[in-house]
Amino acid sequence: MTSSSLRLQCITVDVTGTLIAYKGQLGDYYCMAAKAIGLPCPDYERMHEGFKAAYKNTTKRFPCFGSRNKIHDKEWWRICVKDSFIEAGYLYDDVTSEKVFERIYAAFGSTAPYAVFPDVHPFLRWARSKGIIVGIVSNSESRYRDVILPTLGIRQGFEWDFGVFSGLDGIEKPDPRMYKLALLRAGNLPAASALHIGDSLQKDYLPAQGIGMQALLLDRFNTLEAKSWKEKGIPVFQDLVATQEWIVQNEKLENNDDSRESVSK
């Protein structure tokens, strides 16, 4: 690659916003769950805001989906869901709250809320076919590894080789230890031989680059923020098709440089 004389040996990828996207807003599913058990449908906007506040507070109280506090991630979500409704102004009794929670928890363990970007499977399979180790680095709980990704057809051993998940490993992005652990699980590789792909400047690009990895960002939704990234010279691509082309081109340039160096010797 252009930033290193080492051959690319590993690619790590973020999940949400990089490989998959939510269909609609998360608060929509909370409203539908309440309505499904006969409750008046909550106000959607209040529910969206309630979820965001509860998620932030629950993350602060119990980091890494409860793994640091020895709380199972399902219990973490039970707390978050209940607080989401409270933040939105809806207080249910324990029995009702549990019914709503179980519907929401089941929905997010299915394919219903997620869409896989069409370039994901071809890109991951291409990388592995080239002998590149592929890792998942995600701020997510155990169901992403065990249920959600496999259900969506993003399977360990076929599309990816190893994972670092905050809910399982007790650390979360932007902590650089997430990326150091990824390099270790990839075979204790040199940082410069690995490339991280994500959609967040703070959580993906900066910490990965900070430990010496190569990094780039995806801008799936044509955001204004991405324009400022490009102005700073950060490689930003709209999809994994363009990313693959960039990798191939840079690998060719490196190989040409290595060939010329061998001839000169």
Side-chain angles (χ1 to χ4, degrees):
M1 305 286 285
T2 55
S3 62
S4 169
S5 60
L6 295 179
R7 181 180 64 83
L8 181 63
Q9 299 179 68
C10 176
I11 294 175
T12 59
V13 289
D14 170 52
V15 177
T16 306
T18 303
L19 303 183
I20 68 175
Y22 289 111
K23 297 176 184 175
Q25 298 193 56
L26 274 71
D28 296 345
Y29 296 91
Y30 285 49
C31 294
M32 289 188 289
K35 189 176 180 180
I37 65 166
L39 294 170
C41 187
D43 179 272
Y44 276 55
E45 189 57 39
R46 282 165 57 190
M47 203 66 249
H48 299 327
E49 295 305 313
F51 168 77
K52 287 193 290 185
Y55 186 89
K56 182 178 179 180
N57 292 337
T58 311
T59 298
K60 187 179 294 185
R61 289 170 61 199
F62 309 111
C64 301
F65 298 94
S67 63
R68 292 185 188 175
N69 304 84
K70 308 302 180 185
I71 296 173
H72 191 276
D73 49 39
K74 184 173 183 178
E75 180 59 27
W76 190 97
W77 278 112
R78 182 176 281 110
I79 295 167
C80 184
V81 168
K82 184 175 182 178
D83 288 352
S84 295
F85 283 97
I86 292 173
E87 290 282 352
Y90 302 96
L91 183 60
Y92 303 135
D93 61 68
D94 289 344
V95 173
T96 303
S97 183
E98 185 65 13
K99 288 179 180 178
V100 173
F101 165 70
E102 287 293 347
R103 281 188 170 272
I104 292 169
Y105 192 75
F108 283 96
S110 71
T111 59
Y114 313 102
V116 180
F117 293 108
D119 53 17
V120 168
H121 288 94
F123 176 80
L124 297 179
R125 290 171 184 170
W126 165 80
R128 295 185 78 247
S129 75
K130 297 299 181 183
I132 298 171
I133 301 166
V134 175
I136 303 288
V137 178
S138 175
N139 283 355
S140 57
E141 29 96 355
S142 62
R143 286 203 302 174
Y144 267 65
R145 182 194 67 181
D146 300 334
V147 179
I148 296 168
L149 290 177
T151 301
L152 294 171
I154 305 173
R155 302 157 299 168
Q156 188 170 8
F158 294 89
E159 283 77 27
W160 55 284
D161 299 290
F162 71 90
V164 181
F165 297 88
S166 60
L168 290 166
D169 294 299
I171 48 178
E172 59 190 1
K173 299 184 288 185
D175 191 327
R177 289 180 298 167
M178 287 281 279
Y179 298 94
K180 291 178 181 178
L181 182 56
L183 293 173
L184 184 63
R185 288 183 177 169
N188 200 22
L189 296 177
S193 70
L195 168 70
H196 181 66
I197 303 170
D199 69 330
S200 169
L201 179 68
Q202 298 298 328
K203 294 180 180 181
D204 292 302
Y205 184 84
L206 292 178
Q209 193 183 56
I211 68 161
M213 290 176 66
Q214 301 169 70
L216 60 82
L217 292 170
L218 290 190
D219 176 35
R220 294 283 195 181
F221 306 104
N222 296 315
T223 63
L224 290 174
E225 188 179 28
K227 292 183 179 179
S228 66
W229 299 342
K230 292 178 182 178
E231 290 171 359
K232 294 175 183 177
I234 295 171
V236 180
F237 301 99
Q238 189 170 3
D239 54 38
L240 290 171
V241 175
T243 300
Q244 180 176 324
E245 292 172 353
W246 181 82
I247 291 170
V248 169
Q249 181 61 28
N250 278 278
E251 284 287 284
K252 283 182 178 179
L253 288 174
E254 179 189 325
N255 291 336
N256 289 339
D257 289 341
D258 290 344
S259 298
R260 284 195 293 270
E261 186 176 342
S262 297
V263 170
S264 66
K265 290 179 179 179

